[in-house]
Amino acid sequence: MNWNNTVTIITGAGSGIGKATCDLIRSNGGKVYNLDVLEPAESDPFFVKCDVSKLSDIEKSIEYVFKKESKIDFVFSNAGIHLFATLEETSVEQLEKVVSVNLLGTFYLLKSVIPIMKKQMKGSIVLMGSDQSIIGKASSSVYGMTKGAVGQLTKSTAIDYAPFNIRVNCVCPGTIQTPLLDRAVEQFSNKSGIESKDVYASLNTVQPLGRIGHPDEIAKAVMFLLSDESSFMTGSLVSVDGGYVCQ
């Protein structure tokens, strides 16, 4: 697929999988807007400061991009946060924060871009799921809840907007070497008393492929799902997890 003259929006493209996807699409000639709450380390003319947990922020950001470009071809709803805690250990404030970013942020983004894509009669969207969109994990009730909901949101939205030639798919990464993983490992280490290096060593062994994944491996899957190369795919939850959920 030729990415020249295409316009993509990625939330949370400042680091991890979002940044890897942004860099990959830009390297193929596409224009990518990074909607992130954190300022980039280097100047980026396509950076738009946006807190995805606030509908007004997303609406203003989408309006800004559309006014500049007159179209939005692709969207990757990537921004998210993690919480390592059981239900009893989770405060109401923590619950609201994770839900506001992971689930409401995704909903707000869809609500803001779908009307534009309906008028275009074309668009492709990828939502950030997780292996926990498919399976459960210990001490992850709220995070898993949001990712399970994102999986269902993918399916229903795909059905509703297929008549408008809008495709919606969900990428479901496993354990990937990102700042999000680093924070999750730190939380687990502090709670369990197990050293971080031993946690990482253990994580390498639980995937059938025997290692942690890399952000660029997820980026390639996202790029495929966004592109016309996956033109007959919509409503799919695509695992990119080293075989973890097939065990």
Side-chain angles (χ1 to χ4, degrees), residues 15 38 80-84 177-190 196 200:
S15 64
L38 299 175
I81 58 176
H82 188 266
L83 177 66
F84 182 80
Q177 187 62 66
T178 65
L180 195 69
L181 175 65
D182 292 338
R183 289 190 288 273
V185 167
E186 182 181 2
Q187 285 182 318
F188 179 78
S189 179
N190 291 338
S196 295
Y200 282 111

Side-chain angles (χ1 to χ4, degrees), residues 102-117:
N102 293 4
L103 182 54
L104 295 183
T106 302
F107 178 85
Y108 294 156
L109 184 61
L110 287 170
K111 191 170 180 63
S112 299
V113 301
I114 288 288
I116 293 171
M117 290 183 170

Side-chain angles (χ1 to χ4, degrees), residues 92-209:
V92 172
E93 291 77 18
Q94 288 173 316
L95 165 68
E96 292 174 344
K97 179 64 175 177
V98 177
V99 170
S100 70
V101 175
N102 293 4
L103 182 54
L104 295 183
T106 302
F107 178 85
Y108 294 156
L109 184 61
L110 287 170
K111 191 170 180 63
S112 299
V113 301
I114 288 288
I116 293 171
M117 290 183 170
K118 280 179 68 177
K119 291 178 180 178
Q120 295 173 167
M121 285 297 292
K122 185 177 183 182
S124 181
I125 300 168
V126 172
L127 306 185
M128 175 59 84
S130 164
D131 50 12
Q132 293 186 62
S133 297
I134 301 166
I135 61 165
K137 288 185 176 180
S139 295
S140 200
S141 56
V142 171
Y143 177 80
M145 175 183 73
T146 63
K147 292 305 180 178
V150 167
Q152 292 301 316
L153 185 60
T154 299
K155 297 174 185 180
S156 291
T157 310
I159 292 168
D160 288 340
Y161 296 99
F164 300 93
N165 198 28
I166 299 170
R167 298 187 300 110
V168 186
N169 290 292
C170 180
V171 66
C172 299
T175 306
I176 310 299
Q177 187 62 66
T178 65
L180 195 69
L181 175 65
D182 292 338
R183 289 190 288 273
V185 167
E186 182 181 2
Q187 285 182 318
F188 179 78
S189 179
N190 291 338
K191 181 178 179 180
S192 66
I194 301 173
E195 291 190 30
S196 295
K197 64 180 179 63
D198 295 325
V199 177
Y200 282 111
S202 176
L203 289 173
N204 279 321
T205 66
V206 296
Q207 280 73 231
L209 288 182

Side-chain angles (χ1 to χ4, degrees), residues 221-243:
V222 172
M223 191 172 180
F224 167 73
L225 291 172
L226 288 174
S227 76
D228 293 341
E229 302 299 321
S230 62
S231 58
F232 199 53
M233 292 179 67
T234 195
S236 297
L237 275 62
V238 180
S239 296
V240 190
D241 61 4

